Amino acid sequence: MTDEPIKDHQFDNGGDEAEITDAAKRSLPIKSRKHSTMASITNYVRYMAHKLEYSLTLSLKKHTREKLSDRELFGVVMKNLFYGRISYLHSDKGKEMAPTMGTNESTLLVRKLPVVDTRYIFVGDAVVFKDPNETNKYIVRRLAALEGSEMVSSDEKDEPFVLEKDQCWVVAENQEMKSKEAYDSRTFGPISMADIVGRAIYCLRTAVDHGPVSNSEFAMDEDSPILAVELDVDELAKGHKAS
């Protein structure tokens, strides 16, 4: 079982009066983050494109709900763009995802996704989603199949079935665990893509054992500028100690 995200630099969903916190100031591009100076210009441009897309998506959802004026909408977009982050820290406990993640506890950098559908998540990705049985908890599993896939069990007693629209199948990685112990789609069934909140892109198992999470090739390419700009191993280590 895993805890909720331990630190999330939230984007602003509100009006112009939203306070700029110290955490938000730390998320300012390049100059305010020491590791960002290592990012290439190309990575930074790609990063800002991802950030703009996320900011626009978030702001338009807010506009749809509350009918913001053009000025209010512009203000929310700008705050999201310059004072928000598109990643957060998440504490993962348990051994289901070993060896990708630790057998006791790992601290993950998770990328927020503007929209959760087949344009943004792919088979092979390590996704963070709401626990089907405890919706205030979040767990990490490997995405094994998407909507439209036929699922065939190794047990002949089980009937094959096809994943419905917006459904996906997630599995644990620990080969030493039996399927009934692993707590994944083999026990709780398919999950809704709407329950996915992000993709794990970096994992700190210990202070000396950490690195990028292996995801689908396309996802790793898409996430590389976010790692280049927002990854702060010291921040991960502090979060790991505090969790």
Side-chain angles (χ1 to χ4, degrees):
M1 193 69 62
T2 62
D3 294 332
E4 295 185 53
I6 59 177
K7 184 183 293 184
D8 189 347
H9 300 291
Q10 295 287 349
F11 275 63
D12 173 27
N13 284 327
D16 293 340
E17 296 78 19
E19 180 181 0
I20 301 173
T21 64
D22 289 339
K25 290 176 182 177
R26 290 201 302 274
S27 70
L28 285 168
I30 291 190
K31 291 185 180 180
S32 63
R33 297 185 62 80
K34 59 183 179 182
H35 58 279
S36 296
T37 58
M38 302 299 293
S40 68
I41 294 176
T42 300
N43 269 336
Y44 183 66
V45 170
R46 292 180 63 203
Y47 167 73
M48 289 305 294
H50 285 307
K51 203 171 183 186
L52 177 60
E53 179 185 29
Y54 188 86
S55 301
L56 287 171
T57 302
L58 203 65
S59 302
L60 288 173
K61 287 180 180 178
K62 175 74 174 178
H63 175 63
T64 300
R65 291 194 306 268
E66 301 186 14
K67 304 300 181 184
L68 302 176
S69 67
D70 290 345
R71 181 178 179 181
E72 289 172 329
L73 179 61
F74 180 77
V76 171
V77 170
M78 290 299 101
K79 283 190 175 180
N80 285 342
L81 182 61
F82 291 107
Y83 299 110
R85 290 179 61 179
I86 48 178
S87 68
Y88 66 91
L89 302 188
H90 172 76
S91 177
D92 180 74
K93 297 177 181 178
K95 57 184 179 180
E96 285 86 354
M97 290 299 289
T100 296
M101 294 161 200
T103 54
N104 294 316
E105 182 175 359
S106 298
T107 299
L108 306 173
L109 184 68
V110 179
R111 179 194 173 173
K112 303 173 188 177
L113 300 170
V115 179
V116 181
D117 60 26
T118 53
R119 294 173 298 166
Y120 294 97
I121 57 172
F122 312 93
V123 170
D125 290 353
V127 294
V128 182
F129 58 94
K130 293 179 182 179
D131 186 319
N133 296 310
E134 295 185 64
T135 54
N136 63 330
K137 302 282 187 179
Y138 295 84
I139 58 179
V140 185
R141 296 292 183 268
R142 189 71 66 178
L143 190 60
L146 292 166
E147 59 184 37
S149 299
E150 182 179 18
M151 308 304 297
V152 180
S153 173
S154 57
D155 188 340
E156 295 181 355
K157 296 178 182 179
D158 295 332
E159 292 289 331
F161 64 95
V162 176
L163 292 177
E164 298 178 2
K165 182 175 175 56
D166 295 328
Q167 284 188 333
C168 55
W169 194 263
V170 293
V171 295
E173 287 193 341
N174 193 332
Q175 298 297 316
E176 297 180 0
M177 299 182 72
K178 296 179 181 179
S179 59
K180 293 182 179 180
E181 301 173 333
Y183 194 63
D184 57 19
S185 286
R186 291 170 291 182
T187 56
F188 52 67
I191 66 167
S192 169
M193 285 195 286
D195 288 335
I196 296 174
V197 298
R199 177 168 51 239
I201 60 176
Y202 199 91
C203 177
L204 184 141
R205 291 167 286 274
T206 69
V208 294
D209 181 15
H210 53 85
V213 174
S214 178
N215 287 308
S216 64
E217 183 177 354
F218 185 81
M220 293 190 74
D221 179 65
E222 287 290 291
D223 297 338
S224 61
I226 298 164
L227 274 176
V229 176
E230 294 197 356
L231 173 64
D232 187 333
V233 176
D234 290 340
E235 182 184 39
L236 279 172
K238 289 178 182 177
H240 191 71
K241 291 177 182 178
S243 62

